[in-house]
Structures are given as C-alpha cells and as structure tokens.
Amino acid sequence: NKSGGLDASVRNKLLTETIAPWRSVRLFLYGALGSGAFLGGLITLSGVAAGLSGARSDLDLNVEYKNLAIDFGAVAAFAALAKLDFDKQDELNEKVEEKVERKKEQKKVAKRMQEREKRIAKLNLEIQISMDGEVKQAEIGQVQVGAKQHVIIVAGPSLACKEALIGANLLGMDFSMRNVLVVPYQTTKSKKSEREKPSGGFGDRPAFETKPYVAKPTGEGWDEYIEEEMADAVMQAGEKVKVDGIAIVVASNGKVIRRGVGTVPWRNMVEELEETINPGSKKEAVDYIFDP
C-alpha cells in the first residue's frame, strides 16, 4: 500500500468484525465443538458395532443409542449453525462494501467542504453600521480581516431562521462584545431580488432581524454555496435538514470550525469562537450534529 495505510483485505476483515463481532470465534467454536461431537460419535458407534457383533457384552445398547443420537445430533446442530453464518456471508460482504463506500463518500464530502471554505470570504454581506439603519456592503473576508469579526451563517426555511434569530437575540450583548455577525439565509425565499435590493429594507423587517449583529446575504454566489452545503448536510444527516436548517460557524481567521443541524446552541458557539482565537478560554464542550 503506497499510502502506508492498511491493506484492503485487512481493512475489510476489520470492518467485517465491527459489523458482525465474534463471527470468527463462533465459526471456530462450531468447528471445534462439532469435530469433538463427531469424534465422540465415532467412538460410540464403534462401541455399538462391537456390542451388536457380540464382541462386548458389557454395553447397554439403549444407552449407547442415546449417546449416539446426542453426538450426531450435536454435529448436525453445529453444522446447521455454521451454514447459517456462511449463508450470511454475501449479506455481510454487501454491508462491508456499503461501509467502505460510505467512508469514501465522507472523505469526498470533507474535501468539498474544505474547498467551499475558501469561497466564503468572497461572499457579500449587507451590514448595518448605524442605529438609524445605515448599511454598507462588504465581503466576508473583508470584515474578518478588517474588523476581526466571526460569522455564523444560519440557512433553512423561514421558520428555522426566525427561531435561530430569536435565540440569538437573547445573546445580543455577547455578539456585540465578541465581534460575531449572524447571517440568516432563507432557503424557502430564493428570489435574488429579495437579497439584492438596496436596503432601506432594515426598517421593514422584524426587530430581531434588525439587530446590529445581523447581516444580510447579498450578491452572487450565495445560492450556489448554500445549495451545496445543504446537499452535503442532507447526505450526512438526512432529509430533516431541509426543515431544521443548518448553521456554519466561521471564525475570523476564515476557518469553518463547526457545521451543525437544527437548533443552534448560541452560547456554546460564541464560547467556541472565543476558544479558537484565544486558546484555553473555553470552559465547556459543544455538542453539535456534524463536524467539518
């Protein structure tokens, strides 16, 4: 193996053991115990033959017949169990192949995610810069480098985005103090004009959408980026993603530190962002659905 990893046959055997643990031990026991019973049956059979021929008169043939039935019955039972295990070999091989393919696909997904990470910096945001609703547009990369701001992208249907923003509203002070921008993207509202129109639009939105830490996705590239993220999320976590939505947490250094499905644990996310920039400051673990 040129990559220095495990040989494919060894890897498949290990995967087989994880899918059907103790199978090798079971087959060994079937063989050993079946062989022992067969040998015992031959010995008993020879005694029965000797008793029938009159060579031995000290044998109770009824007992010997019973022993003979037990020995060869055990042989038949172990043979049947072994056959059942061997009959499942094809099914087991299919499961191993599925698991191997799934791992390969996960590697491809991880690679795609890493490649998309580079595109995030070029996506445009509409950011509120004054309390009276004045806004400006900037690329994510610019606000990360210039203002050292983290970005949390929340994508999903309008209800998922609304619930996320209401949850974020409870931590508004933390967002302001720790330079975090929240970017809601509604997958059920895909008209480009809605995201591209110049904004006097802050005034027409609910209060929790007009907070200073809420930025609006605008310009080209967002549709394709979110569609690809959603597709990979569905592949990993199932169709519920389309209803629950996803969150993508991007640190100010441009690294995606977390991807998740469903309700966003905002406080944990803020603390993890803090830990990314200031190692050692994080105090509690974060449990989120799927990682980059």
Side-chain angles (χ1 to χ4, degrees):
N1 191 324
K2 292 181 180 179
S3 63
L6 290 174
D7 179 76
S9 62
V10 176
R11 185 173 61 247
N12 287 352
K13 286 180 181 178
L14 291 174
L15 284 173
T16 299
E17 193 61 28
T18 64
I19 295 172
W22 307 109
R23 181 172 184 271
S24 299
V25 175
R26 289 199 307 273
L27 291 175
F28 172 77
L29 289 175
Y30 296 154
L33 296 174
S35 298
F38 182 71
L39 182 60
L42 291 179
I43 294 172
T44 303
L45 184 61
S46 65
V48 170
L52 290 174
S53 67
R56 292 184 61 179
S57 58
D58 60 329
L59 295 176
D60 183 340
L61 289 179
N62 288 330
V63 173
E64 294 302 307
Y65 288 148
K66 187 183 295 184
N67 291 338
L68 198 62
I70 292 172
D71 287 336
F72 284 110
V75 171
F78 288 127
L81 290 172
K83 184 178 185 305
L84 286 175
D85 244 324
F86 280 118
D87 286 346
K88 291 181 179 179
Q89 183 65 47
D90 288 341
E91 180 183 344
L92 189 57
N93 287 340
E94 287 180 9
K95 288 182 178 179
V96 169
E97 288 302 318
E98 286 176 7
K99 198 164 186 177
V100 169
E101 289 302 315
R102 191 159 57 247
K103 285 183 176 292
K104 288 180 180 177
E105 188 58 38
Q106 286 173 349
K107 288 182 179 179
K108 291 178 182 178
V109 169
K111 185 177 180 181
R112 289 199 299 269
M113 287 179 173
Q114 289 175 349
E115 290 172 350
R116 281 200 301 273
E117 189 174 294
K118 301 172 185 176
R119 290 160 47 191
I120 294 175
K122 296 297 182 183
L123 297 174
N124 282 288
L125 297 176
E126 191 174 86
I127 306 165
Q128 185 176 353
I129 58 174
S130 69
M131 296 305 293
D132 60 4
E134 184 182 356
V135 299
K136 74 171 183 178
Q137 291 190 9
E139 291 182 349
I140 289 179
Q142 292 173 334
V143 299
Q144 287 173 326
V145 174
K148 303 298 181 185
Q149 287 195 298
H150 310 298
V151 175
I152 300 178
I153 302 167
V154 179
S158 57
L159 180 59
C161 289
K162 178 180 177 181
E163 290 177 348
L165 289 176
I166 291 173
N169 191 41
L170 300 176
L171 285 179
M173 184 61 67
D174 278 345
F175 289 131
S176 300
M177 292 175 63
R178 303 195 191 187
N179 290 333
V180 177
L181 281 178
V182 179
V183 183
Y185 180 103
Q186 292 188 18
T187 55
T188 53
K189 186 179 178 182
S190 59
K191 296 178 183 178
K192 289 186 179 181
S193 60
E194 287 295 324
R195 287 192 299 278
E196 291 177 348
K197 68 180 181 181
S199 184
F202 269 101
D204 300 327
R205 295 156 65 189
F208 55 79
E209 290 187 19
T210 62
K211 298 296 182 181
Y213 56 81
V214 178
K216 184 179 176 184
T218 187
E220 299 296 328
W222 277 101
D223 289 339
E224 293 78 10
Y225 173 74
I226 295 297
E227 283 173 8
E228 291 171 20
E229 286 286 353
M230 291 292 288
D232 283 340
V234 168
M235 187 180 300
Q236 292 191 354
E239 291 294 322
K240 67 175 184 176
V241 168
K242 295 179 180 178
V243 175
D244 295 342
I246 62 174
I248 304 156
V249 184
V250 190
S252 60
N253 59 11
K255 295 292 183 181
V256 173
I257 65 167
R258 183 73 70 173
R259 285 179 169 90
V261 176
T263 303
V264 182
W266 288 110
R267 187 173 296 281
N268 287 346
M269 290 298 92
V270 171
E271 289 175 356
E272 186 160 347
L273 284 166
E274 187 72 15
E275 164 69 10
T276 301
I277 303 304
N278 301 307
S281 64
K282 184 177 172 183
K283 296 181 180 178
E284 59 183 287
V286 176
D287 57 341
Y288 217 26
I289 306 299
F290 63 88
D291 293 327

